[in-house]
């Protein structure tokens, strides 16, 4: 998790505890998650139900790509980029990580399976790992890189503004075990997420493109986050998630794409330096004008860079 995100969540937790004795009640959110999209599919792995969608290749299939999203987002963040890539012959699988999108919300009673293992199991349920290319944005980039380290048989690794998952404060576990605090946090989050202009502002700021923010469909981000148990799940996830093994990443022997934003206000310098250092001379590196969520706001450019890289992957 980036330093910025850790600080943000720590502030949210502190403010929630401060005002926990005096806050008004909000109606509970009721989100239908049986089949949120016409092409929704679910993969069961132990206690986990992983929601994913497949955008099938047009024409002859050239390969399979698993797309892993970033913090607070879901597989839908890849919609526009993946559609352009699928049009050029690639099956694109858009997965929701636990606690995001429409996948399982974790508790400490959940029989834990790492995010890396869940994504690997999902891929293997569809095709052998040797057929896959793994892509990750932000938090998903750290997960994708861990998969590449553990499974050298995958064909290629594509990283978009990847973030390092580091050790987190015990505050997350303590918070997740406090039922009153978690219920309060979810209510506050739901209230904030129901104000579309706040979500649009956040999207515009993160994209460094205010026109994009004004046009942004707030429901894509806000509706999954309002599902009951999301705030607890996020805290549980970060209390148990695996750290990013950037040192071993330097030893992988597969093609790597590394794409950064020119004006990224979400990533800390420690994230960019960690990946840039170990992948120097190994990765095909590009920069996209704009902010952290360029995979959405600059989807066409992102797809062009990606397809150029894929044309060189055997």
């Amino acid at each position: 998790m980036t330093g910025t995100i850790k600080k943000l969540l720590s502030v949210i937790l502190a403010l929630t505890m401060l005002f926990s004795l005096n806050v008004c009640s909000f109606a509970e959110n009721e989100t239908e998650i049986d089949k949120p999209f016409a092409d929704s599919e679910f993969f069961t792995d132990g206690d986990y139900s992983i929601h994913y969608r497949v955008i099938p290749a047009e024409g002859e299939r050239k390969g399979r790509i698993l797309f892993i999203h970033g913090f607070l987002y879901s597989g839908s963040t890849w919609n526009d980029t993946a559609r352009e890539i699928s049009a050029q012959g690639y099956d694109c699988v858009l997965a929701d990580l636990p606690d995001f999108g429409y996948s399982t919300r974790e508790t400490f009673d959940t029989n834990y399976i790492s995010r890396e293992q869940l994504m690997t199991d999902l891929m293997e349920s569809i095709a052998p790992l040797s057929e896959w290319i793994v892509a990750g944005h932000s938090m998903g980039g750290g997960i994708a890189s861990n998969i590449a380290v553990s499974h050298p048989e995958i064909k290629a690794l594509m990283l978009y503004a990847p973030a390092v998952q580091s050790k987190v404060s015990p505050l997350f576990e303590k918070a997740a075990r406090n039922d009153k605090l978690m219920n309060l946090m979810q209510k506050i989050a739901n209230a904030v997420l129901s104000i579309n202009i706040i979500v649009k502002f956040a999207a515009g700021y993160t994209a460094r493109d205010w026109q994009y923010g004004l046009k942004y469909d707030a429901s894509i981000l806000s509706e999954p986050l309002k599902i009951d148990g999301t705030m607890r799940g996020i805290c549980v996830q970060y209390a148990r998630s695996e750290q990013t093994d950037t040192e071993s990443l330097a030893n992988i022997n597969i093609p790597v794409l590394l794409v950064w934003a020119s004006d990224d206000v979400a990533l800390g310098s420690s994230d960019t330096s960690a990946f840039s250092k170990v992948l120097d001379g190994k990765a095909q590196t590009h920069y996209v004008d704009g902010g952290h969520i360029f995979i959405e706001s600059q989807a066409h450019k992102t797809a062009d860079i990606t397809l150029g890289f894929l044309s060189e992957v055997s």
Side-chain angles (χ1 to χ4, degrees):
M1 182 192 298
T2 68
T4 301
I5 292 173
K6 284 194 285 187
K7 290 178 183 177
L8 176 60
L9 285 181
S10 296
V11 169
I12 292 173
L13 288 171
L15 288 174
T16 305
M17 289 185 278
L18 177 65
F19 291 104
S20 61
L21 297 178
N22 184 25
V23 66
C24 58
S25 297
F26 297 93
E28 292 291 335
N29 179 69
E30 296 180 0
T31 304
E32 176 59 54
I33 63 173
D34 288 340
K35 194 169 183 181
F37 305 102
D39 58 350
S40 289
E41 298 188 48
F42 290 88
F43 169 67
T44 300
D45 198 353
D47 290 345
Y48 292 83
S49 175
I50 300 300
H51 173 258
Y52 69 99
R53 295 162 50 225
V54 179
I55 303 179
E58 295 183 19
E60 182 180 355
R61 186 175 65 229
K62 299 175 183 177
R64 305 176 191 272
I65 307 173
L66 173 71
F67 289 90
I68 307 175
H69 63 83
F71 183 69
L72 296 181
Y73 286 84
S74 67
S76 294
T77 195
W78 292 103
N79 279 347
D80 292 341
T81 295
R83 286 195 182 100
E84 292 201 33
I85 294 171
S86 68
Q88 299 302 315
Y90 293 88
D91 278 351
C92 296
V93 176
L94 317 184
D96 293 348
L97 293 168
D99 310 305
F100 298 109
Y102 298 93
S103 291
T104 292
R105 268 47 178 173
E106 294 174 286
T107 72
F108 284 109
D109 292 328
T110 306
N111 185 18
Y112 177 67
I113 301 175
S114 72
R115 296 173 295 180
E116 289 82 356
Q117 189 61 54
L118 287 166
M119 294 298 100
T120 300
D121 291 347
L122 170 59
M123 286 188 287
E124 289 186 310
S125 74
I126 299 171
L129 288 180
S130 58
E131 295 185 16
W132 287 95
I133 296 164
V134 180
H137 172 248
S138 193
M139 174 186 74
I143 296 168
S145 65
N146 278 351
I147 293 172
V149 166
S150 299
H151 299 281
E153 65 268 39
I154 67 171
K155 296 182 66 175
L157 173 65
M158 304 193 300
L159 302 175
Y160 305 80
V164 173
Q165 170 65 56
S166 57
K167 187 176 181 180
V168 299
S169 167
L171 175 65
F172 288 92
E173 180 171 350
K174 291 180 180 179
R177 293 186 183 279
N178 186 321
D179 291 341
K180 290 183 178 179
L181 179 61
M182 288 296 98
N183 290 336
L184 179 58
M185 281 189 66
Q186 190 66 61
K187 289 177 180 178
I188 292 174
N190 288 4
V192 172
L193 291 164
S194 295
I195 305 173
N196 284 346
I197 192 60
I198 293 179
V199 180
K200 288 176 177 289
F201 176 87
Y205 176 74
T206 309
R208 309 305 286 157
D209 182 342
W210 297 113
Q211 289 187 338
Y212 174 77
L214 290 174
K215 296 183 294 182
Y216 187 74
D217 183 355
S219 66
I220 293 176
L221 175 64
S222 62
E223 289 308 308
L225 291 175
K226 289 191 286 184
I227 294 173
D228 188 46
T230 297
M231 295 299 109
R232 183 194 300 275
I234 290 173
C235 291
V236 171
Q237 177 187 120
Y238 278 108
R240 305 195 296 186
S241 58
E242 296 184 6
Q243 297 183 47
T244 306
D245 187 1
T246 52
E247 290 187 11
S248 296
L249 188 61
N251 299 320
I252 65 172
N253 292 306
I254 57 174
V256 180
L257 173 66
L258 180 60
V259 187
W260 298 111
S262 63
D263 187 14
D264 199 323
V265 295
L267 284 187
S269 59
S270 59
D271 294 285
T272 54
S273 63
F275 282 97
S276 294
K277 181 179 179 180
V278 298
L279 293 173
D280 183 37
K282 181 184 292 289
Q284 184 183 122
T285 304
H286 297 266
Y287 288 84
V288 175
D289 289 338
H292 187 64
I293 57 172
F294 62 86
I295 62 167
E296 292 185 84
S297 62
Q298 299 284 338
H300 180 67
K301 179 64 174 178
T302 303
D304 276 351
I305 291 172
T306 303
L307 288 166
F309 169 78
L310 291 172
S311 70
E312 301 177 11
V313 175
S314 57

